[in-house]
Amino acid sequence: MDRSKFPEIVDGKSQYDLDSGRFVKIWNGPQHPGVTGNMALEVVISGDEVVDLKTHVGYLHRGFEKLMEQRLYIQNFPLVCRICVPEPDTNEYLYAAAVEELSGLEVPERAQWLRTLTLEMSRLASFIMWLGGQAGSFGMGTVGQWAVAVRDYVLDLFEAITGGRIYHMYITPGGVRDILPEGFDADLEDVLKKVEKFMHDAEIVLFHNAVFKKRTKGLGIITPDMIDPYGILGPNARAAGSTRDVRKDSPYAVYDKLEFNVIVGSDSDAYDRARCRFQEMQQSIELIRQIMEIMPRKGSFYNRPPNVLHWQIPPGETYVKAESTRGEYGYYVVSDGSNKPRRVYVKGPSYTHAVALFEQMAVGTNYADLPGLMVSLHTYPPEIER
Amino acid sequence: MYIATKAFYLFVSIIVALVWGLTVNGIVRKIVARVHGRIGPPVWQPFIDIIKSNAKRSMIAHGVMFYFGPVFRFAGGLGTYVFIPAVFGSVVFENLSFSGDLLLVMYFIFFGQLGMALGAGEGGHPASAIAVGRGLAQMTAFELPFALSIISLATQYNTLSITDIVAAQQAGVMSWTVFTNPLATFAALFALLGMNMHSPFDIVIAPQEIPLGPPTEYQGSLLGMLHTNRGIFVSAKLILFMNLYFGGALNLPILMVKTFAIYMLSVVVGVAFPRFRADQSIRFFLGVPTVLGILALLIQ
Amino acid sequence: MNSLIKRLKMQFDVEEQTQRSNLSFINATALQLPALLTHLRDYEKYTQLIFLTAVDRIEDNQFQLTYMLADESSQNNIGVRVRIDRENAVMTSIAHLWHHARTYQQELREMFGIDFPGSPGVNDNFILEGWEEIPPMRRDFDTREYSEKTYFPRPGRSTTHPRTAMKAVDPDYPELPLMKGRVK
Amino acid sequence: MGLKDIISPFYVWKRALEKPFTHPSPLTTRPGSDRYRGFHQNDMHKCIGCGSCETICQNAAIDLVHVDGIETTEADSGLRPKIDYGRCCWCGLCVDICTTASLTMSNEYTWVDADPEVYRFIPGADEKSWNDTDKGYRRAEGYNLLETERVDMDMTLGDDGIKSFMEVIHGYTKEQAMAEAMRCVECGVCVATCPAHMDIPDYIKAIREDRLEDALELLYRTNPMPATCGRICTHRCETVCALGHQGDPVAIRWLKRYIIDQFPAEKAIAQLEQEFEDNGLKVAIIGAGPAGLSAAYYLVRLGYNVTVYESQNKAGGMIRYGVPYYRMPEDIMDDEVTVIEKMGVILKTGIKIGRDLLFEKLMHDNNAVLMATGFESPYELSIPGEHHSRVISGIDMLDDIANGKSVEVGNVVAVIGGGNVAFDAARTARRLGADVCIYYRRRIEDMPADSEEIHEAQAEGVKIIVQSIPVHIEDNNGSPRMIWNRAEMVDQGPGKRPKPVLIQGASETADVDTIITAIGQASDYDYIPESMSGRIHFNKTRVATERLGQTAETKVFAAGDIVNSRGDAISAIADGYRAAKGIDAYLTTKKGEK
Amino acid sequence: MKSTENKIIHPLENAGVPEDQRHLYCDASPRPYPALNKYVERFLNWARANSLWILGYGTGCGAIELRPLLTSRFDISQYGMNPRPTPRQSSVFIIGGYLSVKTLKRVIRSYEQMQNPKFVVGLGSCTVNGGMYWDSYNTVNRLDYYLPVDVYVAGCMPRPEAIIAGFEKLKSTIMAGQAEGANEYAERFDWYKSNQKKIIKDWDMPDYNW
């Protein structure tokens, strides 16, 4: 991008003179409805044009990685889901998978199916909420309202399976905590129908909306050659033509037994990203149906690790990854032979999207597009700072 | 004696306009809520909000102009209303209409916004400043088709008195301006969309990036005043449009039906679209609506 | 993966450890790291930096830095591990190789106290604000103690271990050990 | 961007005609799902206060506190979890690990208050609206954080077992022991129940961490005869084990045995402290059974010069002479005694007090005397014909076998009684080649013998006839014929154990070669001289003592079976400890008086 | 926690604010406002209770359950509540669970910008006693040491229904005239400030921001 008209950057910092009257500095957040979650954007604008942006994170920092070093392996499993509030199951899965790999604990087949089911359901829920946010950030509250309501139906399903709406704490090292409740299939189908109806409506009113198109087309273009230097992942990269999808590239759980295609876009602007995600939502619904059809209904769903109060895991380190709605999510776990992990590093895809990439992309956009652009990168602050 | 009676009538008229404006607000919220798939606040919620705002105990200020903002705004709303004859032929609701009132009303419509701009600017919040900039730019943009439409109307009816324009439309439905001068009407209705600040022209108060725009810093009774003004101003705008384009009203029920229908126009559009950016909406207003306005003017 | 390791071993002094078919770790020295990473990025298609983080090996008085790279096509992962001294920890910046490495280095500077000279904004606050203790992710920082010291613990909480409580069953519960001054 | 893009958004208005998403009255009509993890419930009577919930809670949200109306008993710490809802994260791990499955979660989720201090309560004890809710999070079937089955012990049972007097139980291997040690939740409920209050959780932890030296140290702190207890202990600890509520209790006895099995006498001696300060005071102990040896061990550690007098040839008492070798091998017993001797105890065997050495002399020579003679004389059946020559007592038979004498029992043997001695006798008889049948007055669950022993005996082919009372023994051509009667259990009201009552007319006969009686033993106090008879009081057959074993004659203490009624080795060992403590206290105060 | 420690009123220092900018900020402590005439106050309280405007600041996990609450599924607008994007106009501050020190600083700023009467609702365990993050170095444990809290809602996260119940409780408290958190904050200003300053190490904001 031609940055010549923007303030000069010296040592990573823009040099602008606020007293000149040319520039106005605005803080978007942390107390601000225009940012996704509790984070802040330090924006410098000139007229309506953003000339410098700095992302400030850390408002949600709870020191998870430190806390996890202080807790037993089993005690960490309720903790990890809190790292990403809208889509906790990926965290639960990854933590369990990493611990299982390091300890050599086998997981029953049925548990893997149940895990995949919840993973896909949480993908769906997270995407629905994102869709609402994307519409809302451009001022279309109607779809936003519908979306959150429809997502709530999915949460009801989660509540029926796991006993929790937001924090499911369902995928535990060794398997899952329970099987599906009675009558779940019918409830699920009911909810999927509602979601499909919502998506049908949303497609008509949002994706065929003159104003929405006008706002999003051409906004925030990610070119393919930006993918690697900025570490772009997930739908953000796929909308730019990348075909990376962990579910396909290195299948985990039972994704190798499911049929689906990687959804790839071409325009890589905000509209195209939205389109890609929308198709991934449809794909999720399809996958859920597939899972329900071929999932085994009998058998064990939990392999007990050794007494969890004294469970020690031999020294080793591993990195496990899974595809979340924002892209590749990873857990790097180091064990030192004791009953507590030596180090758990959580790599959330928002980390690169919300800071390095967004700081770059925002420069030159209209200030009014900032919230929409941010949502179109689909970032969740808690996974940045953990 | 005459003045006292007039003042009393005016007072009644203002109260009715205020109550009706707020009620319309309440009803519209309810309707919008239905589209959202929810129940929505009670119809009387705007009234409670105003009481609540005035019940705030503490207040902060940013200088004299800051106080004047809402006062100007309120004066603008009030001024707009008091010079519009609300009900055709009614003594109580004829307000202070006179032969040149259309120009005065036009002036008052924008007076309030300008005053607000000054006050909000004094608040020191950058979001307010940005919003004011956007608001004024957008206002200028939609003012153009509106002004063109008014000029077209003035040419058509050869008068600047609202009462006269209303009187000219009393021959029946087909004599309403909307049928006699559809181009001017549509140009004005587009402007109304902008004036009502519903989507897609609500970038001025977009809560997503500039929290509420100009009134960001206002609270307590100042905010209450702004809310009160919203009641009167909505009434005034709608009555003006009703008078100019939809044949006015002979009594209060007709007034209510017509104004509500006009307001629904913004709502129908509003819930269906995201908002334009300021530059996009300016471009929009300078496009089709302005062309319509010019055409309307040319045809006359 | 194996052929890659072979090729690497020809050029660099590295040790390798395979964790899974699509994940290997290689140990490298801090000195050759930038060259190794550049090589992996430019010639071996490990174009993506997934993350960069540190593990506090306090028992060796070292930090272990792990650079996780991903292959663009096969999505295999390779973790490059480097040990650096824990005292005055300094490491070469790789911000010129990947844009987002900057934030990782900024975070490591803050949470572990590892300096990356030349990395843009590395000394700025990233997550913490007004932090005055030793960097919190270091093993010798005790978060529980800090929390109790700083954030008003709730009064009135007490617990009894069942073993203690059950002493009530027997008045002659042994006070151990029953032994007097030992001569040896 | 065509006309369609302008018109289609108005499709939103369709929603206005449909039913709203809004739930009309969410507060009352939306209960949590059947599995909802809401506020906690606790079944106060099932809960034993083991504190596993506290251990696993990563938020330190649970405190164990005393609750009014809940007494501390041997199987219940009397504590109950108190949950701080300023900490709880509703993960339900406490429910998952609850050893008794008493802790659950209701599906209630609304609790609102202005005072933060109220968010602490004891589920089940404090009055809450959700206490009796039957929906909410429960542990799923097939999901349990704790292993309910113990690691199987390798045994030689059945036909192989009865071929010889080789030890039946083989002991755990390291892997087995570690796996079994993993099961423990370290609640410590067992510690109080163990008469000797052994550090059970600690030594299990030491096994788990493979610190066997520490484990041995821990064993010898509270129990000088761990090898004995690792084999034949009645393991009350296991009956109260928290894990026993939902599965098998932790095999505490076998774990103890695993530790001591790794330490033959020399190794154990090398490991333990052996030199103690000499305080110049002398104590004599009569009887080298578990009580006597235990007291000797502790007293030596306190610096006393201790001499133990034993009438038999070897030390060990009932453990050596009353327990057959297949349960308690001779060399293990020897090792056990060796370790205690090495500590500095002087052992004088083959000396019967009253016959070889007078009690008065002991009294004179020593600063204190401890009587730990035990119960050696068998009880009689008190039925007609019991003095038949082929009616022998179990204890005598076992004694003979242990002394290497040959015992003939014939082909068919009836054993009368349901205690450990009865089973030992029966299994010994089985090893001598006889068909054995045990006759017991009550039901199997009433038997005082260990359940393992019953199980092993059955596996070895010992028949058991319960609710059978011998009424008469006749002579049938030199061998005895037993006439016995069936009995029914008559309830004696709550808190009392049911009493067997003869059923009229239901008598049967059994022709056997030998009848072994094992219905209990009594003591023989002949060694106490006349001069002291008035100064030592008796309580029925037992010596009346103070808490720490002191009799009315202040210099004389008593311990073991002659004092306590439990009649097992571990109680005797505990008694020895108590007596040692008593003697020490007595002598210390006396010294102070001087 | 009604403590009288630190009751000594000392002139505020406006710590952290450069000398030349002091005039931009208020350097007076807030003052308590007495209730009006009983009947008037009762009417006003009714209005306050039925028009609760929520400050749109999602401070923690709790924000996730506010969304269903504010939108169609649970729609608290039917109870007269609305999200407001600016603290100036809001009357209810919902603390969505844990507060990191960095957020607490912003929360205090936002809270002080709200106008009297203002109410604070604490969601979840974290606000009561630290919740899951009780031993974290970066989260405060007990909210009432830093802000006066009117209602706590138990849960982690509390369900939307529970939060509604919390609001019902808040309403009844307001109508009973007991939700005087703003006045309490003014009366015990020094105590709150000392607690806040104890953990916010870089106090680069004025002591009191209106």
Side-chain angles (χ1 to χ4, degrees), chain E residues 11-185:
Chain E
L12 290 163
E13 288 163 0
N14 263 347
V17 182
E19 196 71 45
D20 57 330
Q21 285 177 26
R22 292 241 167 124
H23 68 279
L24 292 172
Y25 299 97
C26 178
D27 59 355
S29 58
R31 68 177 182 88
Y33 290 83
L36 301 172
N37 168 296
K38 195 169 119 196
Y39 297 101
V40 177
E41 194 68 18
R42 199 177 286 172
F43 172 69
L44 294 182
N45 278 337
W46 168 83
R48 284 166 189 152
N50 284 289
S51 166
L52 287 173
W53 289 354
I54 298 165
L55 176 60
Y57 185 3
T59 54
C61 319
I64 195 84
E65 284 290 38
L66 287 181
R67 289 204 188 182
L69 208 57
L70 297 170
T71 56
S72 318
R73 191 76 197 283
F74 296 99
D75 186 32
I76 49 168
S77 73
Q78 53 180 316
Y79 307 106
M81 294 176 192
N82 253 320
R84 274 326 247 203
T86 150
R88 296 282 189 227
Q89 300 171 1
S90 316
S91 42
V92 186
F93 201 149
I94 300 177
I95 306 292
Y98 66 94
L99 282 180
S100 68
V101 177
K102 203 169 172 177
T103 303
L104 176 69
K105 193 169 159 184
R106 277 76 182 172
V107 163
I108 291 166
R109 257 203 113 130
S110 300
Y111 178 77
E112 288 177 352
Q113 287 182 17
M114 288 164 69
Q115 299 301 312
N116 188 342
K118 50 194 170 186
F119 319 107
V120 177
V121 176
L123 297 190
S125 303
C126 305
T127 53
V128 177
N129 190 22
M132 300 209 79
Y133 316 113
W134 60 284
D135 56 348
S136 164
Y137 52 84
N138 204 35
T139 60
V140 306
N141 280 358
R142 300 171 64 196
L143 179 59
D144 59 348
Y145 272 73
Y146 310 100
L147 293 176
V149 185
D150 295 286
V151 172
Y152 292 92
V153 183
C156 180
M157 280 319 298
R159 276 164 68 113
E161 292 93 327
I163 306 179
I164 294 177
F167 285 138
E168 294 295 319
K169 167 92 181 167
L170 177 64
K171 275 187 184 181
S172 60
T173 322
I174 296 172
M175 288 210 242
Q178 288 161 353
E180 295 292 351
N183 284 347
E184 196 197 323
Y185 190 70

Side-chain angles (χ1 to χ4, degrees), chain D residues 106-259:
Chain D
S106 70
N107 67 343
E108 177 63 46
Y109 52 79
T110 310
W111 188 359
V112 172
D113 206 289
D115 180 8
E117 296 305 315
V118 305
Y119 289 105
R120 294 168 72 192
F121 88 116
I122 304 168
D126 294 348
E127 206 55 49
K128 295 284 175 202
S129 62
W130 54 81
N131 273 358
D132 298 321
T133 315
D134 56 354
K135 282 181 175 170
Y137 180 68
R138 310 279 186 267
R139 201 153 64 202
E141 204 171 305
Y143 173 73
N144 193 344
L145 289 184
L146 297 172
E147 174 68 60
T148 51
E149 285 172 18
R150 64 161 62 167
V151 176
D152 284 337
M153 171 59 87
D154 291 334
M155 299 185 197
T156 316
L157 283 184
D159 294 342
D160 290 341
I162 56 173
K163 278 178 190 153
S164 70
F165 280 86
M166 289 289 287
E167 194 172 15
V168 173
I169 312 286
H170 295 180
Y172 277 142
T173 62
K174 184 174 176 183
E175 288 71 33
Q176 286 174 321
M178 282 193 161
E180 183 62 24
M182 273 304 261
R183 294 182 59 219
C184 176
V185 294
E186 288 175 9
C187 59
V189 168
C190 45
V191 180
T193 313
C194 174
H197 305 305
M198 297 192 70
D199 263 340
I200 297 166
D202 286 355
Y203 69 70
I204 291 183
K205 186 176 183 188
I207 294 177
R208 207 174 55 234
E209 294 170 358
D210 206 16
R211 294 182 285 109
L212 290 178
E213 288 78 12
D214 294 354
L216 185 81
E217 181 73 31
L218 283 168
L219 289 185
Y220 270 98
R221 269 194 197 177
T222 41
N223 189 338
M225 303 177 79
T228 307
C229 290
R231 285 175 166 76
I232 59 147
C233 183
T234 46
H235 58 74
R236 291 155 200 277
C237 47
E238 290 183 28
T239 59
V240 299
C241 178
L243 282 163
H245 291 264
Q246 294 280 301
D248 300 336
V250 175
I252 300 171
R253 180 169 61 168
W254 299 150
L255 287 173
K256 181 157 52 211
R257 173 177 163 170
Y258 164 75
I259 300 171

Side-chain angles (χ1 to χ4, degrees), chain D residues 286-287 352-355 357-360 370-379 521-545 551 556-565 575:
Chain D
I286 310 170
K352 187 166 168 62
I353 301 300
R355 187 188 68 195
L357 190 66
L358 284 181
F359 197 88
E360 287 89 340
L370 173 67
M371 306 191 295
T373 48
F375 279 20
E376 294 189 308
S377 320
Y379 272 140
Q521 301 97 22
S523 187
D524 177 8
Y525 297 117
D526 291 349
Y527 60 89
I528 303 175
E530 287 289 316
S531 58
M532 292 189 58
S533 60
R535 283 143 66 190
I536 292 174
H537 302 294
F538 291 92
N539 185 0
K540 287 186 187 163
T541 61
R542 297 196 158 80
V543 179
T545 65
T551 63
V556 177
F557 289 74
D561 283 355
I562 60 166
V563 175
N564 81 57
S565 59
D575 250 22

Side-chain angles (χ1 to χ4, degrees), chain A residues 145, chain B residues 33-34 36-41, chain D residues 20-22, chain E residues 70-72 75 77:
Chain A
Q145 298 265 355
Chain B
R34 280 302 294 203
H36 289 170
R38 56 193 173 94
I39 292 169
Chain D
F21 295 112
T22 310
Chain E
L70 297 170
T71 56
S72 318
D75 186 32
S77 73

Side-chain angles (χ1 to χ4, degrees), chain D residues 395-416:
Chain D
I395 202 87
D396 289 344
M397 179 184 113
L398 293 170
D399 196 272
D400 287 348
I401 302 255
N403 277 319
K405 295 178 192 161
S406 70
V407 178
E408 280 297 322
V409 290
N411 289 328
V412 185
V413 172
V415 178
I416 299 165

